[in-house]
Amino acid sequence: MEYNTTRNYLIMKEYGRNIQKMVEYLVTIEDDEERQRNAMAVIELMGTLNPHLRNVEDFRHKLWDHIFNISGFTLNVESPYPIPTIEKLRAKPDRLPYPKKYPRNRHFGKNLEMIIDKAVHEDNPEKKEGFTQCIGNYMKLAYSNWHKESVHDDAIKAELLAITNNELEYHPGHTAHVAGPVNFPPSGNVAGAGEQFRSNKRKNFQQNKFKSSNSSNSGGKSRDNNNKHNNKYNKNRNK
């Protein structure tokens, strides 16, 4: 019996021990044509064992890379794709540049400083005004999230002036320019809608009035029945 402690290291566990043994056998085949034919059969078997790879773009390219990886990059077959190397597999990615500049106003974040810098250097006055209003609205939202209370528009205006050295001025209640006209319904439709609303309201009022009258009538009938029952009981008791 073969134990796991006596076996070699399983390179790609998702394919299992049997696929690795097949690939190890492929390396020992001396005939090139037979080795190529068996390698194609192993590729098809690997695709069958992992059907989720069929939804991946260029999944056959991935299978060929895996079979070379399992063989330790010693398999000598012709591949329809560039043959990978161990140096390429172990190559480390380039180091990402990490920003070392800390934001001056941490409660607003780094992105707000980038937007403010873009708004300050904007030449179009309409776009600059739109940037300013969006920045002011975002500052109000950030202030509410941090302090859990509302903030006055004058405070946002003063803080934005201080951050931008009096280059951006926030106007409370001013909305940014909306591109394109807004189509309102014609006056006739509005009047018709109002008339329909009033008719529906009148109809609901009549239905509620009818329900209340029915409930009052039913309550009166029940009281009359109770009175009749009590009178009959009193007569029988007097006898």
Side-chain angles (χ1 to χ4, degrees):
M1 185 175 180
E2 188 179 8
Y3 294 96
N4 289 332
T5 54
T6 61
R7 295 175 177 177
N8 57 349
Y9 177 71
L10 190 60
I11 298 176
M12 301 193 72
K13 298 179 181 180
E14 57 267 28
Y15 292 106
R17 177 69 60 179
N18 293 329
I19 292 293
Q20 182 163 325
K21 288 183 178 181
M22 292 179 187
V23 176
E24 292 173 356
Y25 174 74
L26 289 177
V27 178
T28 61
I29 298 176
E30 297 181 357
D31 188 10
D32 294 340
E33 295 183 357
E34 184 179 359
R35 189 188 318 113
Q36 184 71 30
R37 184 173 62 255
N38 289 320
M40 297 291 293
V42 174
I43 288 291
E44 295 297 331
L45 181 59
M46 291 168 63
T48 304
L49 293 176
N50 297 274
H52 62 278
L53 293 177
R54 298 183 183 275
N55 298 327
V56 180
E57 186 177 0
D58 296 336
F59 80 100
R60 295 190 67 85
H61 189 184
K62 187 180 291 293
L63 293 178
W64 278 99
D65 291 345
H66 289 173
I67 195 174
F68 282 112
N69 186 17
I70 294 172
S71 66
F73 302 95
T74 59
L75 182 62
N76 185 14
V77 293
E78 295 182 359
S79 173
Y81 306 98
I83 298 177
T85 59
I86 190 172
E87 291 79 9
K88 185 178 180 181
L89 178 65
R90 295 181 179 179
K92 296 182 179 180
D94 297 334
R95 188 179 181 86
L96 294 175
Y98 193 80
K100 297 182 179 180
K101 182 180 178 181
Y102 295 97
R104 294 187 300 272
N105 303 278
R106 295 186 180 182
H107 57 288
F108 291 138
K110 178 70 175 177
N111 293 330
L112 185 67
E113 291 188 2
M114 298 172 59
I115 298 174
I116 289 175
D117 184 68
K118 186 174 182 179
V120 169
H121 295 87
E122 180 63 42
D123 297 331
N124 191 343
E126 293 184 359
K127 289 185 178 181
K128 189 171 186 178
E129 182 65 24
F131 272 127
T132 305
Q133 299 308 120
C134 292
I135 291 170
N137 294 332
Y138 176 77
M139 291 173 64
K140 292 175 63 177
L141 178 62
Y143 188 94
S144 300
N145 291 335
W146 273 84
H147 299 279
K148 305 299 181 183
E149 61 182 7
S150 60
V151 59
H152 199 272
D153 294 334
D154 293 339
I156 297 296
K157 180 179 179 180
E159 189 167 3
L160 184 58
L161 288 173
I163 293 174
T164 60
N165 295 324
N166 298 328
E167 293 188 16
L168 297 179
E169 183 177 0
Y170 174 65
H171 299 285
H174 179 75
T175 57
H177 177 69
V178 180
V182 180
N183 296 325
F184 292 98
S187 59
N189 293 339
V190 175
E195 185 64 28
Q196 184 179 2
F197 174 76
R198 286 191 292 271
S199 62
N200 292 334
K201 187 175 181 181
R202 190 182 304 110
K203 185 177 180 180
N204 293 333
F205 174 76
Q206 292 177 355
Q207 291 178 354
N208 294 332
K209 185 177 180 181
F210 178 74
K211 290 180 181 179
S212 61
S213 62
N214 289 337
S215 61
S216 62
N217 292 334
S218 60
K221 291 180 180 179
S222 60
R223 287 193 297 270
D224 294 339
N225 293 331
N226 292 332
N227 293 332
K228 291 179 180 180
H229 178 73
N230 293 333
N231 294 333
K232 185 176 181 181
Y233 175 75
N234 292 330
K235 290 179 180 179
N236 295 330
R237 186 177 181 183
N238 293 331
K239 291 179 179 179

